[in-house]
Amino acid sequence: MPDSLWSQRRSLTSISRPGDQRSPWQRDRARILHSAAFRRLQSKTQILGIGQNDFYRTRLTHSLEAAQIGTGLVSQLRAKVTSTERFFLPDDSLMEALCLAHDIGHPPFGHGGETALNYKMLHAGGFEGNGQTLRIVAKLEPYTQHHGMDLSRRTLLGLLKYPVLQPDFSQEVLAATNPLNLTPWKPAKAIFNDDADILNWILAPLSSTDKTLFQTTETLNASPYIKARYKSLDASIMELADDIAYGVHDLEDAIVLGNISQEQWQQHTAADWAVLPKTLHKLMQQISVDLFSNQHHLRKDAIGSLVNMLISSVTLYQALPNAEEPLIKYNAKLDDAPQAILHCLKRVVYNCVISKPDIQQSRFRCQNMLMALFDAFNSDPSRLLPANTQQRWSQAEAPLKSRVICDYISGMTDDYAEHMYRRLYASS
């Protein structure tokens, strides 16, 4: 739909260089691919910390793999849906743009760093990686003076995994202090209130009824306090690609590095495979053997088979049957059995790798580094912040000064955050 409202840019300008034949989505992909925020993903944690090994995936390689999987999902959907439904499916350039950009808002040290910054920002609207992605592409990345990368509206809609604003935190939440245990401070999955103007612009083509439906939330009793119920069609495909890349490729890393043994694999999967339909059960039994083969080509073939099985099961369904706009009415999902397999893979990675004490001890150290960095810059920003960030801080209104500091820290790579911490706090 390149001629619709969804191809508009917030600047309302269209810089067309002589001879440029690209679609809006191709231009968006190029802006993301050539951005500093995208390059920084090469030194940001996926699961293992940077420097712990020279084989594992980073946020950058994860995003590249997600982009490949995303276009595979779109190809499957094109072959399965009606001609009417095919019209509003994203093209490959748009899906690649979404998958390449989906993690650029993540701070140093993965979700541990995200929780640390959220704790430090509770008084100023919280912090969450997807919300920071929107800030980067729509405000911070200096492609334009005021609108960041100035991406198309549909691209921005596709990046909204949680199209709602952060909740107001209660006084009890704001008054609570226990910085050594950050478990209760996982971020609300939402856009920052500071960026409500961007969210409103993205959703402007929706009718008031569609917008109300689309922004329905669930209220939770504990952190992260709210949960958005819906996302757009493009975001649902992007999220599936993200989940498949995480569940399958991070599993591959864990097996190759010896973090998951064949015995552990059997313990964590046998019950799940037993209830699968006969064909899938047989496939997963063979994959289970090949994943731990000493012949590396068999392992790669098993990984390919897993990805293919998941991608080929994707279907379209009506997430919001009463909505008028197809981009929010429809979502993509996997069939039930493949979805159960993917859930099992993610659970294995979490139980056998992420929850290991040495990984959690490293996360604890990194979280405290980020909190110490925030305290340092917040204590004397006019002396410690770099010159360009000082300028942004001095020009910001009082409530937004903390957000400027958070923008600076969240944009750091793992390596740079470690370097800055040593520079400010090390004894030698």
Side-chain angles (χ1 to χ4, degrees):
M1 304 181 202
D3 298 325
S4 73
L5 284 171
W6 295 108
S7 66
Q8 287 184 352
R9 302 182 189 277
R10 197 157 178 239
S11 66
L12 297 180
T13 62
S14 181
I15 301 173
S16 183
R17 296 184 174 91
D20 190 350
Q21 300 298 315
R22 294 175 299 170
S23 71
W25 328 125
Q26 288 174 313
R27 292 171 62 192
D28 287 350
R29 178 185 60 188
R31 293 181 185 191
I32 292 162
L33 191 61
H34 294 286
S35 68
F38 180 73
R39 288 196 302 277
R40 291 190 184 104
L41 295 178
Q42 67 186 304
S43 190
K44 287 197 176 186
T45 294
Q46 176 66 9
I47 292 182
L48 296 175
I50 303 300
Q52 287 181 251
N53 196 282
D54 64 356
F55 171 83
Y56 57 82
R57 289 163 166 91
T58 65
R59 291 273 175 193
L60 181 67
T61 57
H62 162 75
S63 298
L64 293 170
E65 288 170 336
Q68 183 271 322
I69 292 170
T71 56
L73 289 165
V74 173
S75 294
Q76 283 288 331
L77 288 171
R78 286 196 194 109
K80 293 180 177 181
V81 301
T82 66
S83 57
T84 301
E85 294 167 335
R86 194 176 302 126
F87 173 72
F88 53 75
L89 287 177
D91 77 0
D92 287 352
S93 294
L94 173 55
M95 185 47 53
E96 286 181 355
L98 298 179
C99 293
L100 292 173
H102 82 280
D103 266 354
I104 63 175
H106 270 285
F109 312 125
H111 289 292
E114 182 183 43
T115 303
L117 286 180
N118 182 57
Y119 177 80
K120 284 299 182 183
M121 287 294 292
L122 287 175
H123 69 288
F127 178 85
E128 195 275 327
N130 190 248
Q132 190 67 17
T133 293
L134 183 65
R135 276 184 71 76
I136 290 170
V137 300
K139 278 190 178 179
L140 301 180
E141 192 73 21
Y143 275 72
T144 61
Q145 186 173 2
H146 301 295
H147 302 299
M149 296 186 197
D150 199 24
L151 302 178
S152 305
R153 195 194 311 257
R154 181 169 176 175
T155 303
L156 294 177
L157 179 70
L159 287 172
L160 292 177
K161 291 172 70 173
Y162 320 110
V164 296
L165 294 175
Q166 289 271 356
D168 292 326
F169 299 112
S170 67
Q171 289 304 310
E172 291 81 5
V173 169
L174 296 176
T177 56
N178 185 8
L180 286 180
N181 179 12
L182 291 175
T183 302
W185 307 115
K186 294 177 181 177
K189 304 298 186 181
I191 303 305
F192 309 136
N193 287 289
D194 303 337
D195 301 321
D197 58 328
I198 305 172
L199 181 60
N200 289 335
W201 181 83
I202 296 170
L203 302 184
L206 300 181
S207 68
S208 58
T209 302
D210 274 9
K211 186 176 178 181
T212 299
L213 286 171
F214 188 51
Q215 294 190 289
T216 304
T217 61
E218 298 177 35
T219 302
L220 308 178
N221 294 325
S223 175
Y225 305 108
I226 66 165
K227 180 180 180 181
R229 288 187 176 182
Y230 303 109
K231 57 181 65 67
S232 71
L233 167 63
D234 301 343
S236 72
I237 301 172
M238 176 265 285
E239 190 166 50
L240 280 178
D242 183 23
D243 282 351
I244 293 171
Y246 163 66
V248 177
H249 293 303
D250 290 348
L251 170 69
E252 180 185 14
D253 278 3
I255 291 173
V256 172
L257 295 173
N259 291 322
I260 297 178
S261 67
Q262 191 164 13
E263 182 180 4
Q264 286 176 308
W265 171 258
Q266 294 294 341
Q267 289 174 348
H268 284 87
T269 63
D272 294 83
W273 300 168
V275 297
L276 290 174
K278 185 176 180 180
T279 303
L280 277 180
H281 177 73
K282 183 177 180 180
L283 174 66
M284 293 311 300
Q285 282 186 314
Q286 184 60 53
I287 286 174
S288 296
V289 172
D290 292 344
L291 281 175
F292 293 89
S293 172
N294 291 326
Q295 300 183 60
H296 297 312
H297 71 279
L298 292 179
R299 183 188 301 123
K300 288 307 284 188
D301 186 63
I303 292 297
S305 295
L306 263 178
V307 173
N308 177 71
M309 177 270 295
L310 294 169
I311 289 177
S312 60
S313 78
V314 68
T315 56
L316 210 61
Y317 75 104
Q318 294 188 17
L320 279 170
N322 296 324
E324 300 171 20
E325 172 55 59
L327 293 184
I328 67 167
K329 182 174 186 174
Y330 291 90
N331 270 196
K333 67 174 182 177
L334 303 184
D335 291 338
D336 290 344
Q339 181 60 52
I341 291 172
L342 179 57
H343 178 74
C344 179
L345 300 181
K346 292 167 64 178
R347 190 178 70 239
V348 171
V349 171
Y350 181 82
N351 289 337
C352 296
V353 183
I354 296 174
S355 64
K356 287 177 64 176
D358 56 338
I359 297 293
Q360 290 302 313
Q361 289 162 10
S362 177
R363 175 176 287 192
F364 177 85
R365 181 182 70 89
C366 295
Q367 285 178 322
N368 280 280
M369 278 198 297
L370 284 195
M371 291 197 293
L373 286 176
F374 189 96
D375 289 340
F377 292 124
N378 197 44
S379 69
D380 199 348
S382 60
R383 183 162 68 106
L384 299 179
L385 288 173
N388 60 338
T389 308
Q390 275 189 41
Q391 184 177 10
R392 281 189 60 221
W393 180 87
S394 64
Q395 293 173 350
E397 299 290 333
L400 295 177
K401 289 185 180 294
S402 293
R403 182 65 64 191
V404 173
I405 294 171
C406 187
D407 288 340
Y408 174 56
I409 296 173
S410 68
M412 295 178 178
T413 64
D414 293 16
D415 292 338
Y416 189 77
E418 291 254 16
H419 167 77
M420 184 59 69
Y421 178 82
R422 290 195 301 269
R423 189 172 187 178
L424 292 175
Y425 286 101
S427 58
S428 61

